[in-house]
Amino acid sequence: MMRNICILGSTGSIGISTLDVIRQHPSLFNVVSLSAKASVDTMFEQCLEFKPQNVVMVSKVHATALKQKLLDNGVNNVVISSGEQALVDIAESDSNDTVMAAIVGASGLLPTLAAVKKGKRVLLANKEALVTSGAIFIEAVKRSGAELLPIDSEHNAIFQCLPVKAQSNTGYCNLAEQGVSKILLTGSGGPFRTLPIEQLEFVTPDQACAHPNWEMGRKISVDSATMMNKGLELIEAKWLFNVEVEDIKVVLHPQSTIHSMVQYKDGSVIAQMGNPDMRTPIAHALAYPDRITAGVEPLDFFTTPSFEFSDVDFDRYPNLKLAIEACKSGQGACTALNAANEVAVDAFLSKQIKFTEIAKINETSVNKFVSEEVITIDDVIRIDNLARALARALVEKCASVAEGN
């Protein structure tokens, strides 16, 4: 069956990898809509190759620039629009049956939720949707009958290691009834796993973005370096697989060969392995329950480095500890954590704050909103906005102190 695809965030690393898998299977997938924030040149090339019906650029200025560039090259059959509502419109449109949710950050929440409410197959690469609104999001999945398939390599690995019955109701499955005793969430530890802790405050954005195994965008690369990414993944796993924080164990595995594992009551541990390439989980979700080629070389056990595993040092990774505590505290803490972290990481990447100040800003923000009640999406948006404002103020304070020195 031909699937009609909408890709939210098509010019980012996940979007580009998704299009590469689709490129290999033109008889299986048809691209009907794409979106991006501001990458006009990349989107122009994607339009020429994949011929979508609709394209959304978040910025009106960039939408106008794209439209003009297409017209200058004789392309006038693509509807170009802009703005947040336009993202929701293409996500919920009847022209697609499958939505790749790959917008980075909380800005991807509303269009992803719109696709869920329409009962579509949603390929979830935007972990922030569950981090910021877990119960609300999963209730919408359950109510609409949407098919939720995880794209993050760790969550996709866990999904593949679960019984088929558990796979059929992602978000509200009962893993204990399926014999599962624990989810083992692996993480590489990032580029600073062995760097002396006292040197962390001096690391640069380029160093933080130099992940030893994965090619990722700059924001998620910094999150990997702080292991906030693993913290957000832990929160996402709680909601995706309907488990408690105590049912999830983070395991450092620097080779990134085992993408995650599921431990069963009988003592069995089932792991999903492969080369670190996001096209593998993307191909799995696009074709599920079938298997298709992804363009990824199979794992060569004769050249693969030996597997290493270790526990997490929370002194080195305070962001991970903070995320675990936020997950225990409730939705308000998780929403504030995600919002503050986006602001803090952006400030670090623009060299306004030190690497170690990311965790301090996050902690202050979480403590401020930990008791906030979240019942509706409006509550999520309100806390998100307030936490961002607080984090920006904290960034300015850090920056002024640095200038004073």
Side-chain angles (χ1 to χ4, degrees):
M1 179 185 77
M2 172 76 77
R3 287 201 166 271
N4 294 313
I5 313 292
C6 164
I7 304 177
L8 301 172
S10 67
T11 62
S13 60
I14 296 295
I16 289 171
S17 292
T18 301
L19 288 171
D20 186 63
V21 174
I22 289 172
R23 182 181 292 114
Q24 299 173 58
H25 303 279
S27 64
L28 297 179
F29 307 110
N30 174 44
V31 176
V32 297
S33 51
L34 301 171
S35 84
K37 184 177 181 180
S39 301
V40 173
D41 291 343
T42 303
M43 180 61 81
F44 171 72
E45 296 297 332
Q46 291 178 353
C47 287
L48 293 183
E49 179 178 1
F50 294 98
K51 300 177 174 56
Q53 301 169 15
N54 293 275
V55 169
V56 174
M57 302 297 288
V58 176
S59 160
K60 186 175 181 179
V61 171
H62 293 96
T64 301
L66 175 65
K67 185 174 182 178
Q68 189 59 55
K69 189 165 187 175
L70 287 169
L71 288 174
D72 290 347
N73 286 270
V75 180
N76 58 10
N77 58 348
V78 181
V79 177
I80 311 293
S81 53
S82 64
E84 295 180 359
Q85 183 56 47
L87 289 174
V88 171
D89 292 342
I90 63 168
E92 64 183 11
S93 171
D94 291 338
S95 66
N96 74 73
D97 51 60
T98 302
V99 174
M100 168 59 80
I103 295 176
V104 176
S107 58
L109 170 59
L110 292 182
T112 305
L113 189 58
V116 164
K117 289 180 177 179
K118 284 291 186 176
K120 298 180 183 293
R121 169 175 281 196
V122 177
L123 314 184
L124 190 65
N126 173 275
K127 63 175 64 66
E128 291 83 2
L130 281 172
V131 171
T132 59
S133 62
I136 297 169
F137 192 93
I138 293 302
E139 180 58 33
V141 171
K142 191 172 182 179
R143 193 163 52 243
S144 70
E147 188 177 17
L148 193 61
L149 298 174
I151 295 298
D152 270 356
S153 61
E154 295 83 359
H155 301 96
N156 182 267
I158 293 163
F159 182 90
Q160 292 193 52
C161 294
L162 292 176
V164 173
K165 188 175 181 180
Q167 294 178 353
S168 64
N169 53 1
T170 308
Y172 48 97
C173 50
N174 189 322
L175 295 190
E177 290 183 356
Q178 301 296 310
V180 174
S181 61
K182 195 170 286 292
I183 287 172
L184 303 175
L185 191 65
T186 60
S188 70
F192 307 134
R193 183 175 57 87
T194 60
L195 186 73
I197 292 178
E198 61 271 16
Q199 294 182 24
L200 287 174
E201 68 172 310
F202 304 111
V203 302
T204 67
D206 285 344
Q207 289 173 320
C209 291
H211 195 282
N213 303 327
W214 295 92
E215 292 184 12
M216 305 181 291
R218 287 175 72 79
K219 193 270 181 182
I220 194 172
S221 294
V222 175
D223 282 347
S224 179
T226 66
M227 285 201 78
M228 174 58 82
N229 195 46
K230 205 55 50 183
L232 298 178
E233 287 172 4
L234 181 141
I235 298 170
E236 183 183 8
K238 165 187 163 57
W239 294 110
L240 273 174
F241 305 114
N242 192 28
V243 295
E244 298 302 322
V245 179
E246 293 75 18
D247 300 321
I248 308 169
K249 172 68 176 176
V250 176
V251 180
L252 285 188
H253 169 53
Q255 291 77 28
S256 297
T257 305
I258 296 177
H259 298 141
S260 274
M261 300 170 278
V262 173
Q263 180 177 306
Y264 285 84
K265 293 177 180 178
D266 62 5
S268 300
V269 176
I270 298 179
Q272 189 270 337
M273 296 182 285
N275 285 315
D277 191 315
M278 286 305 299
R279 290 177 297 175
T280 295
I282 288 168
H284 172 265
L286 277 171
Y288 181 82
D290 297 328
R291 298 275 182 170
I292 58 174
T293 56
V296 180
E297 289 296 317
L299 193 64
D300 185 345
F301 285 95
F302 303 105
T303 60
T304 298
S306 299
F307 298 158
E308 298 176 58
F309 305 97
S310 62
D311 207 349
V312 175
D313 177 3
F314 288 119
D315 290 334
R316 179 179 296 278
Y317 302 112
N319 269 306
L320 176 55
K321 183 177 181 180
L322 182 60
I324 292 171
E325 294 305 316
C327 191
K328 293 177 180 177
S329 297
Q331 190 59 68
C334 293
T335 302
L337 175 67
N338 180 75
N341 185 65
E342 289 188 15
V343 172
V345 170
D346 184 65
F348 168 69
L349 287 171
S350 59
K351 300 182 179 180
Q352 294 175 267
I353 64 172
K354 296 178 180 179
F355 181 78
T356 48
E357 289 174 327
I358 296 173
K360 295 174 183 177
I361 290 171
N362 290 342
E363 183 177 14
T364 302
S365 302
V366 168
N367 289 340
K368 176 72 174 178
F369 298 100
V370 69
S371 60
E372 290 284 337
E373 190 174 27
V374 178
I375 299 175
T376 68
I377 285 296
D378 287 340
D379 294 329
V380 172
I381 295 172
R382 176 179 58 83
I383 294 172
D384 181 90
N385 289 335
L386 290 172
R388 286 174 192 275
L390 175 59
R392 290 188 190 102
L394 293 170
V395 166
E396 290 179 5
K397 185 176 180 180
C398 290
S400 65
V401 169
E403 289 175 4
N405 290 339

